[in-house]
Amino acid sequence: QLHALGDSLGVKFVLTGSVLEHKATNTDEGTIPAAALTLKLLEVSSGRVVWAKALAVSGKDHETLFGYGRENNPLRLDLRLVDEMLIDFGRLAGPSPATGTEGK
């Protein structure tokens, strides 16, 4: 199936993934969202996994004293999850030839 998909789309890699969790929990402090995601980048020719990441986040992850840093908005939490995944995905590019730093 991977080869057929790659051939029909004319691509060398396919990104697949699953949403493992996307929920909100009611607490005494309000509604706290949570999300979890897995992603895999597959090389079409070999079926080899080139990159994989699983990540779970909660609205309480960055909470400090008195609720500061808590994220109650599920959309903003989803964006943070995707940003963190893409930062790791960007490391596939390796060091930039011009600067010697990792590409993003």
Side-chain angles (χ1 to χ4, degrees):
Q1 288 179 335
L2 180 62
H3 292 287
L5 181 63
D7 289 343
S8 68
L9 295 174
V11 296
K12 294 180 181 182
F13 301 94
V14 173
L15 184 67
T16 66
S18 298
V19 175
L20 302 175
E21 176 181 52
H22 196 268
K23 67 176 186 174
T25 303
N26 293 320
T27 69
D28 293 339
E29 302 154 339
T31 302
I32 306 295
L37 179 67
T38 63
L39 292 176
K40 283 193 296 188
L41 184 66
L42 303 169
E43 185 178 45
V44 171
S45 63
S46 66
R48 181 175 71 98
V49 176
V50 176
W51 173 85
K53 180 85 174 176
L55 187 61
V57 294
S58 165
K60 295 186 84 157
D61 287 350
H62 297 287
E63 183 177 357
T64 59
L65 194 60
F66 304 118
Y68 180 76
R70 181 185 310 141
E71 183 56 71
N72 295 319
N73 184 319
L75 178 58
R76 283 199 298 258
L77 186 71
D78 291 346
L79 291 173
R80 191 176 84 215
L81 174 63
V82 170
D83 283 347
E84 289 181 27
M85 290 288 244
L86 291 178
I87 287 169
D88 190 66
F89 184 75
R91 292 186 179 116
L92 281 176
S96 167
T99 63
T101 60
E102 289 185 20
K104 295 206 176 185

